[in-house]
Amino acid sequence: MCPLVLLRWRGSCSRLLLPPPPGLWSAQGGGGGVRWRRGLFSGSPSAASHWSKVVSEAEKIVGYPTSFMSLRCLLSDELSNIAMQVRKLVGTKHPLLNTARGLVYDSRNNLQMRGLVVLLISKAAGPSNTAELPFQHDMVSGIYSSQRSLAEITELIHTAFLVHRGIVNIGELKSCDGLLKDMQFGNKIAVLSGDFLLANACTSLAQLQNTKVVELISSAIGDLVQGIYYDNSNLSAENCLTHDIGISTWKEQIFLSHSALLAKSCQAAMELAKHDAEIQDMAFQYGKNMSLSHKLHSDLQPFIKGKSSDSVAFSLNSAPVVLHQEFLGREAWIKQIREAQSKGNLMDFTKLQEAIKAGKGVTSAIDLCHYHGNRALEALECFPPSEARSALENMVYAVTRFS
């Protein structure tokens, strides 16, 4: 029996189940009694703590190499011509270059996470009880062809917005970034290629011929646009005074920019398989809480990885910093920022990082990551035990471990 651990979160006591050794056990049962069942993950107990290993094992379960999920579109004649134009940006600091490199080679396997989760949750749910027999014959490896198309659509939308995020503010460029005409050209290519990917995604979405799925994914695109707006409004404050937002506002904004697409894609996958509203909601909750844990894990890395001498620049609007500001108070936080600024408003991130690590923000962000991880595990309880469900559990374990 794994003990329940009581963690204090912002003045109130809530029950959180810290993850057991990944791959061996998963939570089962509801209400006041929670027990642990042996999972079906075939790797070693420590394997799920490595994200790439978890992704590799999950890909075997769905029988689909998600690293090539959007390759069919990326290798089209139209986008190949755009890729040839991107080569002209070599020698500049246009962010589209880094985005393009990440699409071709991403050693952390983070870029294709959304499509993989859609495939896994589709297989974990299986066909609904009301599905017609001819409809079930459309399944390959436990996943409908429409659900595989949805996974590709999800990745195309995510990739399109990654490319669009690479548009730079011409007014803030420095001479070392590259020639002005090259940077302007890079912006045009980013807009063109991002729009091309988004148009392909919308075309494929229409071909699914499901009004509710179209509505769900369209609303997710709208959420992404709104989330990018919030992100861009915060950029001007990255190296000076940050916005006075609380963790609840931070979660709302992160849901729009990071979680909405995955959550609504998981719900849409259940709709394609004709599952009822309860199953759709549980799939939505898994996608939402899984992606929030993933973002919290990413935000925490500069504060828990390596030695203090290895400090690197981090976002002043990341979760540990927002929580630190909440505990410290706005005036004291502004004072800390100004103390960490040198001449020319350059930020001494090492000094600021040590101040944040000495506060409660980092530990509270870890607690919040565990909280959303457990919410994701609870959502999976409505699905029958299977390899796909265990893979989804192991993905949660991977992003809620910090040792």
Side-chain angles (χ1 to χ4, degrees):
M1 177 72 69
C2 182
L4 293 178
V5 181
L6 295 179
L7 296 176
R8 187 158 297 276
W9 169 243
R10 299 187 64 191
S12 63
C13 200
S14 59
R15 293 199 326 178
L16 288 182
L17 294 171
L18 294 182
L24 290 182
W25 305 90
S26 60
Q28 189 175 46
V34 179
R35 62 187 187 276
W36 299 94
R37 70 171 179 82
R38 185 173 296 275
L40 300 177
F41 184 71
S42 59
S44 64
S46 62
S49 64
H50 304 286
W51 179 255
S52 59
K53 179 66 175 177
V54 172
V55 171
S56 177
E57 291 289 333
E59 287 182 338
K60 295 176 184 177
I61 294 172
V62 298
Y64 205 70
T66 51
S67 56
F68 298 102
M69 188 167 292
S70 55
L71 191 62
R72 182 173 56 196
C73 180
L74 293 176
L75 292 183
S76 64
D77 291 339
E78 295 88 346
L79 209 58
S80 294
N81 291 333
I82 294 175
M84 292 295 292
Q85 300 298 321
V86 172
R87 295 177 60 186
K88 297 180 181 179
L89 297 176
V90 175
T92 72
K93 293 185 179 180
H94 199 286
L96 182 59
L97 279 173
N98 288 331
T99 303
R101 292 190 191 102
L103 294 175
V104 176
Y105 177 72
D106 177 47
S107 59
R108 294 179 298 172
N109 293 304
N110 281 334
L111 288 177
Q112 305 293 341
M113 180 266 289
R114 290 156 186 81
L116 178 58
V117 170
V118 171
L119 293 175
L120 284 171
I121 206 161
S122 298
K123 184 164 185 174
S128 67
N129 295 329
T130 59
E132 299 175 359
L133 186 60
F135 183 67
Q136 294 185 30
H137 288 164
D138 185 43
M139 299 184 79
V140 177
S141 188
I143 303 170
Y144 293 115
S145 60
S146 59
Q147 292 173 324
R148 292 188 183 275
S149 296
L150 177 64
E152 292 183 358
I153 290 167
T154 301
E155 284 302 335
L156 282 176
I157 293 172
H158 175 60
T159 303
F161 277 88
L162 280 180
V163 172
H164 277 157
R165 284 173 183 264
I167 299 173
V168 299
N169 188 340
I170 297 296
E172 297 179 356
L173 292 177
K174 300 177 183 178
S175 57
C176 61
D177 293 327
L179 296 176
L180 177 60
K181 64 176 183 178
D182 289 337
M183 301 303 281
Q184 290 174 330
F185 176 76
N187 278 358
K188 293 177 182 178
I189 294 298
V191 171
L192 177 62
S193 53
D195 286 353
F196 174 79
L197 290 172
L198 196 57
N200 273 269
C202 292
T203 301
S204 299
L205 183 61
Q207 291 172 350
L208 294 178
Q209 297 182 341
N210 187 303
T211 304
K212 184 175 180 179
V213 170
V214 171
E215 180 182 350
L216 280 170
I217 303 303
S218 298
S219 66
I221 293 174
D223 292 336
L224 277 167
V225 172
Q226 190 174 351
I228 290 178
Y229 169 79
Y230 285 133
D231 287 348
N232 289 340
S233 67
N234 291 338
L235 286 179
S236 60
E238 282 293 309
N239 293 321
C240 49
L241 298 181
T242 57
H243 290 292
D244 186 12
I245 64 172
I247 193 63
S248 59
T249 303
W250 178 89
K251 288 203 290 184
E252 290 173 2
Q253 295 181 2
I254 293 302
F255 171 78
L256 294 172
S257 59
H258 289 80
S259 302
L261 179 60
L262 179 59
K264 293 183 178 181
S265 293
C266 289
Q267 181 181 352
M270 300 300 97
E271 166 63 23
L272 288 172
K274 304 185 185 302
H275 285 288
D276 59 29
E278 182 182 359
I279 297 296
Q280 290 185 30
D281 182 60
M282 289 299 100
F284 177 93
Q285 292 300 327
Y286 176 82
K288 173 185 175 180
N289 288 287
M290 164 63 191
S291 55
L292 280 172
S293 292
H294 190 274
K295 183 64 169 67
L296 284 159
H297 187 274
S298 176
D299 282 1
L300 279 160
Q301 292 311 300
F303 301 95
I304 63 176
K305 189 176 181 179
K307 301 178 181 178
S308 58
S309 59
D310 299 326
S311 299
V312 295
F314 52 87
S315 172
L316 297 185
N317 292 296
S318 61
V321 182
V322 170
L323 285 164
H324 175 75
Q325 177 182 327
E326 273 198 350
F327 285 115
L328 196 64
R330 180 67 175 172
E331 292 184 4
W333 169 237
I334 292 175
K335 182 180 179 182
Q336 279 191 349
I337 290 181
R338 287 175 174 164
E339 289 176 350
Q341 283 179 325
S342 58
K343 293 181 180 180
N345 284 334
L346 295 177
M347 187 69 67
D348 184 350
F349 280 96
T350 302
K351 183 176 182 180
L352 190 61
Q353 184 188 55
E354 290 303 313
I356 294 171
K357 290 170 70 174
K360 301 178 181 179
V362 174
T363 55
S364 295
I366 293 175
D367 291 349
L368 187 59
C369 183
H370 286 152
Y371 169 76
H372 284 290
N374 283 292
R375 289 290 303 275
L377 291 176
E378 289 172 7
L380 290 176
E381 292 178 4
C382 68
F383 300 106
S386 65
E387 287 183 321
R389 170 176 156 172
S390 293
L392 290 167
E393 291 168 348
N394 283 313
M395 294 181 91
V396 175
Y397 296 145
V399 296
T400 51
R401 289 177 63 91
F402 298 94
S403 58

